[in-house]
């Protein structure tokens, strides 16, 4: 029989306290003496326990730092003199162009170093190198590094763009595929068990023989794919270690992921394009957390219906499991994405599209990239409401969302009506009057000057009953019938034809604008003045 687990400091402390308490109950002891001895023992045990924990933490930090330092030493540091020589003297060189101030470079650097360590352990001939492109701009320019971070693979001196993922595992997979190892072969149960320890996601191909058209399409697919490790196996027992539900080994393809929706099997003809499509629709988790490093992969997903959940980490922790259950019902049809609302670089650009950039509450939104339409869940983000929202999103029965500021208070006395997204129909399109609309944005340089002109026009025509002056901040308000890209924009909506507004030159003189308005009002009962 083997030795049992050593008793932790906390367990020893608990036993000591219980022993002391039992002694206190069974024998009368002077209170002051008991307290002193008890506290002395507790303090010693606490000190011992704390010392052990500190040693363990220090050792863990040292081990992690040591591994990272060792990995970073494997990465070749390029400069103006060495970059050309390193690339010319090695068949394969994967170069990371970075800038010290770039946050994404800093995030990628340890992943790149870990990948270098793994590739070396695998006996790969790929050299991983990095170049401080800010310090050595000429070398960066010669290698055609234009942004940060940039990854380029040089094969016999000729570069090709990196198209893989940005975790250490994904870098290793991509590098091996591009240098002649698109598929790993597993021959027995032991090898299959070892393979499972190394990869959190992979595509497994099971074949009776590694030959024939189906196998050839499998290898072509493995070579064309840039992100997933492919493994091939003919031993049925080994295959079932990787994918338990394999029943036949004539030919089979499945994808395995380390998440609740772990297995997905392909059913269809073994043709490269169809196999790639299957993998593209099944490679992401049920709910994908968006990061700087995976954003390109997420945005390029073939699943064009995407549902976004913006929430802080704690709120999402409570929602994650039920959200996965919802996502499972729409698998491969809607992509579910989580964005930490505290990450302003990722969350704010999206939330701004909905006019919710300052919110701290959980937000559920959807985007159809096929038609560039966005939608918003305007009820509580409960799992039931999210499922109903997703179902309508898939069916195409949701109404697109257009952001709007709150409806202003009564504007009866205002010379210029403030229009928001929710009041555009009432004030502009459905009004029986002619409407002169000023469209502006806060960052517009010339908008202030134009606004003053419009205010003078409103004062000039204030006695007319068939003319309304209005303005809308297009940065905070949207409407499907208002498509403006330049600011300021002036539009005249004639009472008789609201569907065809007339654009007025914002650079026109005040007199020209007044004459233009008068011309379109002459059919009214009022007698407008022609000149200011």
């Amino acid at each position: 029989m083997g030795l049992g687990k050593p008793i932790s400091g906390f367990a020893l402390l608990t036993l000591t306290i219980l022993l002391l308490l039992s002694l206190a109950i069974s024998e009368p002891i002077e209170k002051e003496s008991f307290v002193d001895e008890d506290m002395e023992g507790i303090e010693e045990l606490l000190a011992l326990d704390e010392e052990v924990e500190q040693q363990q933490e220090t050792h863990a930090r040292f081990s992690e730092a040591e591994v990272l330092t060792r990995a970073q030493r494997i990465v070749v540091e390029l400069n103006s003199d060495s970059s050309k020589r390193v690339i010319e003297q090695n068949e394969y060189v994967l170069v990371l162009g970075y800038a010290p101030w770039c946050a994404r470079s800093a995030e990628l650097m340890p992943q790149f170093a870990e990948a270098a360590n793994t590739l070396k352990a695998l006996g790969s001939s790929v050299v991983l190198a990095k170049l401080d492109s800010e310090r050595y701009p000429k070398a960066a320019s010669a290698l055609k590094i234009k942004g940060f971070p940039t990854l380029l693979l040089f094969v016999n001196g000729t570069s090709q763009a990196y198209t893989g993922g940005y975790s250490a595992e994904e870098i290793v997979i991509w590098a091996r595929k591009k240098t002649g190892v698109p598929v790993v072969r597993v021959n027995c149960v032991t090898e299959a068990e070892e393979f499972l320890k190394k990869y959190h996601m992979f595509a497994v191909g099971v074949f009776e023989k590694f030959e024939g058209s189906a196998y050839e399409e499998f290898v072509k697919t493995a070579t064309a794919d840039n992100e997933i490790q492919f493994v091939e196996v003919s031993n049925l027992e080994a295959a079932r270690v990787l994918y338990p539900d394999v029943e036949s080994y004539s030919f089979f393809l499945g994808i395995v992921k380390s998440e609740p929706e772990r297995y997905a099997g392909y059913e269809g003809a073994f043709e490269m394009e169809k196999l790639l499509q299957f993998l593209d629709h099944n490679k992401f988790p049920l709910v994908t957390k968006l990061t700087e490093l995976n954003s390109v992969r997420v945005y390029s997903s073939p699943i064009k219906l995407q549902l976004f959940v913006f929430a802080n980490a704690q709120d999402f922790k409570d929602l994650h499991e039920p959200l996965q259950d919802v996502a499972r019902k729409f698998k491969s049809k809607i992509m579910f994405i989580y964005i930490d609302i505290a990450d302003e670089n990722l969350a704010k650009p999206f939330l701004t599209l909905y006019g919710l950039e300052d919110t701290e509450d959980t937000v559920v939104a959807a985007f159809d990239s096929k038609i560039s339409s966005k939608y918003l869940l305007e009820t509580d983000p409960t799992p039931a409401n999210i499922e109903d929202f997703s179902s309508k999103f898939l069916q195409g029965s949701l109404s697109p969302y257009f952001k709007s500021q709150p409806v202003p208070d009564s504007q009866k006395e205002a010379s210029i009506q403030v229009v928001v997204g929710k009041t555009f129909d009432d004030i502009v399109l459905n009004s029986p009057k002619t409407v002169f609309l000023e469209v502006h944005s806060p960052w517009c340089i010339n908008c202030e000057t134009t606004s003053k002109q419009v205010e003078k026009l409103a004062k000039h025509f204030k006695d007319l009953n068939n003319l309304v002056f209005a303005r809308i901040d297009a940065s905070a308000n949207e409407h499907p019938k208002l498509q403006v890209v330049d600011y300021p924009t002036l539009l005249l909506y004639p009472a008789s034809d609201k569907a065809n507004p007339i654009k007025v030159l914002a650079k026109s003189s005040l007199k020209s604008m007044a004459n233009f308005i008068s011309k379109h009002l002459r059919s009214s009962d009022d007698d407008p003045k022609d000149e200011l």
Side-chain angles (χ1 to χ4, degrees):
M1 182 181 293
L3 294 174
K5 292 183 179 179
I7 299 176
S8 69
F10 178 78
L12 188 59
L13 171 61
T14 304
L15 289 171
T16 303
I17 292 173
L18 290 172
L19 178 61
L20 289 171
L21 286 174
S22 66
L23 289 172
I25 294 170
S26 61
E27 297 182 19
I29 301 176
E30 291 185 19
K31 185 176 182 180
E32 186 177 350
S33 172
F34 171 77
V35 171
D36 289 343
E37 292 178 7
D38 185 35
M39 290 306 297
E40 184 179 353
I42 290 175
E43 288 173 0
E44 289 178 0
L45 287 168
L46 285 173
L48 179 62
D49 198 45
E50 185 177 355
E51 182 180 348
V52 171
E53 288 180 359
Q54 287 177 347
Q55 288 175 351
Q56 290 174 341
E57 289 176 6
T58 302
H59 178 71
R61 287 197 299 269
F62 176 75
S63 299
E64 290 173 5
E66 186 179 35
V67 170
L68 180 58
T69 301
R70 191 186 307 120
Q72 288 174 333
R73 283 198 295 267
I74 297 172
V75 177
V76 178
E77 185 76 53
L78 302 178
N79 56 42
S80 298
D81 298 325
S82 65
S83 59
K84 184 177 180 181
R85 183 178 67 254
V86 169
I87 289 171
E88 287 180 348
Q89 292 179 354
N90 293 278
E91 183 180 8
Y92 302 113
V93 184
L94 183 59
V95 176
L96 167 61
Y98 71 96
W101 46 262
C102 171
R104 291 188 68 183
S105 295
E107 192 175 352
L108 178 57
M109 199 74 73
Q111 300 294 328
F112 192 70
E114 186 181 337
N117 202 35
T118 302
L119 285 166
K120 185 174 182 180
L122 290 170
S124 173
S125 61
V126 183
V127 174
L128 269 65
K130 60 184 179 181
L131 175 68
D132 184 338
S133 301
E134 186 175 61
R135 186 177 180 184
Y136 304 108
K138 289 185 178 179
S141 178
L143 298 181
K144 296 183 179 179
I145 294 172
K146 299 177 181 179
F148 312 115
T150 293
L151 281 168
L152 295 171
L153 176 66
F154 288 85
V155 181
N156 294 319
T158 301
S159 70
Q160 58 179 274
Y162 179 82
T163 54
Y166 292 95
S167 69
E169 181 180 320
E170 289 168 327
I171 293 170
V172 170
I173 291 169
W174 189 90
R176 295 189 79 198
K177 285 192 175 194
K178 300 304 177 184
T179 56
V181 192
V183 183
V184 173
R185 180 172 295 180
V186 164
N187 297 299
C188 62
V189 169
T190 302
E191 289 182 6
E193 292 171 342
E194 288 301 313
F195 182 88
L196 274 179
K197 296 176 184 178
K198 295 178 182 178
Y199 297 98
H200 80 285
M201 178 175 70
F202 56 88
V204 54
V206 184
F207 303 91
E208 185 175 3
K209 294 181 180 180
F210 299 125
E211 59 184 36
S213 60
Y215 176 68
E216 290 173 1
E217 290 296 311
F218 172 77
V219 175
K220 283 166 58 179
T221 304
T223 305
D225 176 82
N226 291 316
E227 300 173 16
I228 303 172
Q229 179 62 60
F230 279 59
V231 56
E232 60 187 27
V233 57
S234 63
N235 181 302
L236 200 54
E237 290 184 4
R240 285 173 178 160
V241 170
L242 302 174
Y243 198 106
D245 292 339
V246 173
E247 295 180 358
S248 170
Y249 61 108
S250 53
F251 55 86
F252 169 84
L253 173 75
I255 186 169
V256 181
K257 297 173 290 184
S258 57
E259 63 134 16
E261 196 71 12
R262 184 163 174 77
Y263 305 102
Y266 174 71
E267 297 177 358
F270 263 55
E271 299 172 8
M272 183 183 74
E273 292 302 324
K274 292 181 179 179
L275 294 175
L276 286 171
Q277 186 179 39
F278 164 76
L279 295 171
D280 279 342
H281 281 79
N282 288 276
K283 64 186 177 185
F284 287 100
L286 288 172
V287 180
T288 300
K289 181 179 180 180
L290 188 72
T291 67
E292 290 282 359
L293 293 181
N294 73 5
S295 58
V296 174
R297 292 176 57 224
V298 171
Y299 298 149
S300 60
S301 167
I303 302 175
K304 300 307 179 185
L305 299 180
Q306 299 184 330
L307 184 139
F308 293 87
V309 176
F310 303 86
N312 63 50
Q314 184 55 50
D315 289 344
F316 183 72
K317 184 178 179 181
D318 298 334
L319 183 60
H320 189 198
E321 189 172 337
L323 185 64
Q324 285 185 319
D325 293 336
V326 175
R328 188 175 288 108
K329 297 175 182 178
F330 301 94
K331 183 184 172 185
S332 79
K333 297 174 183 176
I334 299 177
M335 187 174 187
F336 284 69
I337 302 165
Y338 161 59
I339 301 179
D340 187 344
I341 205 167
D343 189 339
E344 289 195 358
N345 288 337
L346 290 174
K348 200 163 187 176
F350 279 99
L351 291 172
T352 299
L353 294 174
Y354 296 85
L356 300 171
E357 56 270 23
D358 296 323
T359 187
E360 296 181 359
D361 299 326
T362 297
V363 173
V364 176
F367 192 79
D368 183 346
S369 59
K370 291 181 295 185
I371 57 176
S372 297
S373 292
K374 60 181 184 292
Y375 310 87
L376 181 69
L377 175 63
E378 300 189 67
T379 57
D380 292 337
T382 63
N385 286 340
I386 294 174
E387 182 175 344
D388 181 62
F389 180 72
S390 302
S391 181
K392 291 176 180 176
F393 180 39
L394 182 62
Q395 295 167 7
S397 59
L398 289 177
S399 297
Y401 177 80
F402 297 96
K403 62 184 177 181
S404 174
Q405 291 175 307
V407 177
D409 294 333
S410 177
Q411 304 182 83
K412 290 181 179 179
E413 304 300 323
S415 59
I416 299 179
Q417 299 283 298
V418 175
V419 179
V420 297
K422 294 177 180 178
T423 62
F424 189 87
D425 282 331
D426 291 338
I427 296 177
V428 179
L429 298 182
N430 298 335
S431 170
K433 301 178 182 181
T434 295
V435 179
F436 188 89
L437 180 67
E438 172 197 350
V439 186
H440 68 96
S441 69
W443 58 81
C444 165
I445 297 174
N446 299 317
C447 284
E448 185 176 352
T449 300
T450 301
S451 290
K452 290 178 180 178
Q453 296 279 72
V454 173
E455 286 166 6
K456 291 178 181 179
L457 286 171
K459 185 177 180 181
H460 178 65
F461 289 102
K462 63 184 174 70
D463 295 328
L464 295 185
N465 295 322
N466 63 341
L467 176 64
V468 173
F469 283 86
R471 63 166 52 118
I472 185 170
D473 178 355
S475 70
N477 298 280
E478 297 173 327
H479 191 278
K481 295 292 180 65
L482 182 66
Q483 303 296 325
V484 174
V485 293
D486 296 320
Y487 308 106
T489 289
L490 300 177
L491 297 170
L492 183 73
Y493 289 81
S496 59
D497 189 7
K498 293 295 180 72
N500 296 293
I502 303 166
K503 190 171 183 179
V504 181
L505 291 176
K507 293 183 179 179
S508 301
S509 67
L510 190 60
K511 183 175 181 179
S512 296
M513 289 185 193
N515 287 336
F516 178 83
I517 294 171
S518 296
K519 177 183 176 181
H520 288 276
L521 293 174
R522 281 183 185 143
S523 60
S524 68
D525 295 332
D526 296 289
D527 184 18
K529 292 176 277 186
D530 289 337
E531 297 184 9
L532 293 174

